[in-house]
Amino acid sequence: GDPHYLTFDGKSFDYQVRGEFILARHMNDIEFQSSQAVCPNWRVRCNVGAAVITKNWNIQLKSEWYTDQVMVNGRIWKKGRDYHINHRTRLDSTTELQINRYYFYVFFNDLKVGDGAYAHGVFRHWGHPLPRHLYMDLYFKAPGRWSSGLSMTGLFANYDNNRYDDWEAIAPSTMWWVKDTKSSAFKNPKYLLTWDNRIVKNAAQKKASKGAGSANIRKADATALRMNDDGHETPLHAMDWTHEDEEQALKEVDPLTAAMRKRLFDKMAKDHVIERTKGEEQPTTGLAAAELDIMPYVEMRPDHLRIEQQMLFRKEWKFLTPAEKTGMLAGKVESSNAAGMKHMCEECVRGTQACTDKKIVEKPKADGITFKSKEEMDACHKACIPWIEGKPCGQAVCKCRIDCSLDVKKDICTKTAVTNYITFRTAAYIPGKGSIDLRCKSLKSSQAARFKGTKAGKTDLWKQEYAPNFAISFWWKMDKGETYKKPGTKLLLYKGPDKLDEGEAVPVKIEIEANAVSIESDGTIKGDPSMKLTVAGVEFTVGADKVASYLKSEKFNFYALTKKDKNIAFWVGTGEEAKKHALGDIGNAVYKTSTEHDLYLVGTKNEGTAAYIDMEKEPERIPGGVMGKLKYVGCDKWDPEGKEPLWDRQIPKQVALRKPDCPTS
């Protein structure tokens, strides 16, 4: 809108009102607000401010600042100091900010793969009285998985692929006015999203807006309930806002645009899609059932909508009886046209006999992969990490080839394939979410945790033929009273068999060398600890000059041990970055992994096992502190040509993610 608004479903209307408004919001994930002022033509209004809000970030951009500065959580960020033009700045695992010479993007994605949302603004020059003579065109893109009609709110309507209920979703439009309220991101730069501050209609407002249309706005009191600063909900009256104003504002002015948008969606509905696996159950809880059903599953095309589900909500939902809707939300439905991954990954060159033999079709719904030519097929095969073809997680290759056949740039296909592959090959043994005892492991005990290689669904990550390379990463917050109470070599992690045969090498061990480290009477740490790492029986040392500052810090720091072919590297750092230390190679030693191996934190009390620690006799071997976000990646042999990086690209991504959410004391 500039402010010629276009809803998600294709209604376009002018909203010539001065104030601050919620354009779009998805649940408590992301919200987009605008600030409108008088234009050089006093009859119309211009966007002079934009705010993007998430659970963690309040990002404001204004015409008066142009692209020279932005406000982030109440603090001014300056160009060249806090961000750089044309550079994409990662704020956390879901949110990225990019400011270019005359426009901006805020990207949001709550999933590792698949489409996300973004808020976008373009600065335009006009004249006085605009700040710096600039206004903004504002856009918000929501992924198709949010189009259930139940989760999007704001002036851009409810996004259910049904343009005929948009007025009902919007009216009264004063609902989305936030100027001078605690919901204004501009007034309250510390405003962040929670379930409690999501604005929804009360019963009276729902009744008043029922059946609202561009030619039939009900003459109801156009007021919105606002949470005042004192915490009480009271009506916010629009003193100069009448029924006629509402009717004029919610009036479609560009039916051609809406019609074109509808035709575009109809075309998408006939295009490519992979349904969920036959027999796979739908989510069974209310909104989650509707919303999650159109999220990326393992066996769906990552960057394309699940069109059949979109069509369900668009065409069928409004005709279902209440009983049918209740049953569907409870999971009492089965996909009747699900296509298995195996056939969807069959491929041929368009127009050849192979397409007929393999029953590959492009219409009415794509079933299989069709390339324009043999040369294009060969180029796509080369781009889609061919060295893992036929191995577990081959769906990463399949998805890559689907995108490549649809003319996605090949370098993008490769990067996406690598990301998908690594995602499939990652086991989060200490997750980032869940109860405190799950996401924050205390290392005081000799039985902190044991993760078995035979765990269902993860066995391929441990098999020698599929995982000769690996990455083990974690965050650790040292407790000096526990860790350095007694000098000694502390065992952080062991990966291998319970019992080593005679002459068998230790597969993986991570230890802290602190034989000359102790705690002074004033609480200071005397001496500098180092790291001792073992891979395939070969020991490597990371000197105190490289790691002591981290090992003596009582804050969470990131650590990772990686193997690629014979090369071993260790990574250590803060939440901003991690430094890589190349340790060398294991020479003629052979790294072995098996589903019979386990991964131990701080060893085990089982006497006679390779990770045994006697708590009473060897308390100096217990490191103490708290560990979080432990991840293990079992990776196949990598690019034999050495062109595609592995850990050099993946480990920095993990470091950029948020530190573990664990108590500070």
Side-chain angles (χ1 to χ4, degrees), residues 50 58-62 64-79 81-85 89 91 97-100 103-106 123:
N58 179 315
I59 305 165
Q60 295 183 40
L61 302 106
K62 297 183 178 181
E64 63 189 89
W65 298 335
Y66 192 35
T67 57
D68 298 329
Q69 62 185 46
V70 298
M71 181 179 285
V72 179
N73 288 354
R75 187 174 73 87
I76 293 295
W77 283 20
K78 291 187 177 294
K79 179 175 65 177
R81 184 190 70 185
D82 302 297
Y83 64 91
H84 299 277
I85 294 297
T89 302
L91 303 180
L97 169 67
Q98 180 176 340
I99 298 180
N100 289 32
Y103 60 89
F104 69 86
Y105 281 97
V106 177
F123 290 94

Side-chain angles (χ1 to χ4, degrees), residues 464 468 470 495 500 503-509 533-540 561 563 565-566 568 585-593:
Q464 185 72 31
F470 69 81
K495 177 184 177 294
L500 292 167
E504 185 178 2
V506 172
V508 178
K509 189 185 288 187
L533 311 166
T534 304
V535 178
V538 180
E539 291 187 359
F540 301 90
L561 177 64
K563 175 184 179 291
D565 301 327
K566 290 182 175 292
I568 310 301
D585 63 60
I586 59 176
N588 294 325
V590 178
Y591 167 73
K592 293 183 179 180
T593 181

Side-chain angles (χ1 to χ4, degrees), residues 177-247:
W177 294 14
V178 294
K179 185 175 175 62
D180 295 327
T181 75
K182 64 188 302 182
S183 296
S184 168
F186 303 99
K187 176 184 179 182
N188 178 14
K190 294 185 179 181
Y191 168 71
L192 301 174
L193 300 193
T194 67
W195 282 112
D196 294 335
N197 60 24
R198 182 174 184 245
I199 297 172
V200 293
K201 295 183 181 182
N202 60 25
Q205 290 166 329
K206 287 181 179 179
K207 182 178 180 180
S209 62
K210 188 71 175 176
S214 59
N216 182 31
I217 300 294
R218 296 211 173 187
K219 292 189 176 183
D221 184 15
T223 63
L225 289 179
R226 285 281 171 252
M227 189 67 72
N228 292 337
D229 291 338
D230 60 2
H232 293 90
E233 202 175 50
T234 57
L236 171 71
H237 290 270
M239 301 303 293
D240 59 348
W241 193 252
T242 66
H243 160 67
E244 289 72 24
D245 293 328
E246 183 84 329
E247 191 169 59

Side-chain angles (χ1 to χ4, degrees), residues 17-31:
V17 186
R18 185 169 58 183
E20 296 169 5
F21 315 102
I22 296 176
L23 299 180
R25 172 161 172 162
H26 180 260
M27 310 299 280
N28 67 333
D29 291 326
I30 185 171
E31 181 173 292

Side-chain angles (χ1 to χ4, degrees), residues 540-614:
F540 301 90
T541 298
V542 184
D545 59 321
K546 297 181 176 66
V547 295
S549 62
Y550 301 101
L551 296 175
K552 294 166 72 173
S553 167
E554 290 192 279
K555 296 181 179 180
F556 268 113
N557 288 298
F558 177 86
Y559 303 86
L561 177 64
T562 62
K563 175 184 179 291
K564 181 178 180 293
D565 301 327
K566 290 182 175 292
N567 300 309
I568 310 301
F570 186 70
W571 309 67
V572 62
T574 65
E576 300 298 326
E577 61 178 353
K579 295 180 181 179
K580 176 185 177 182
H581 302 286
L583 304 182
D585 63 60
I586 59 176
N588 294 325
V590 178
Y591 167 73
K592 293 183 179 180
T593 181
S594 165
T595 55
E596 300 303 316
H597 291 189
D598 297 331
L599 191 153
Y600 294 92
L601 301 186
V602 202
T604 175
K605 68 177 182 180
N606 297 326
E607 190 171 356
T609 61
Y612 171 65
I613 293 179
D614 189 320

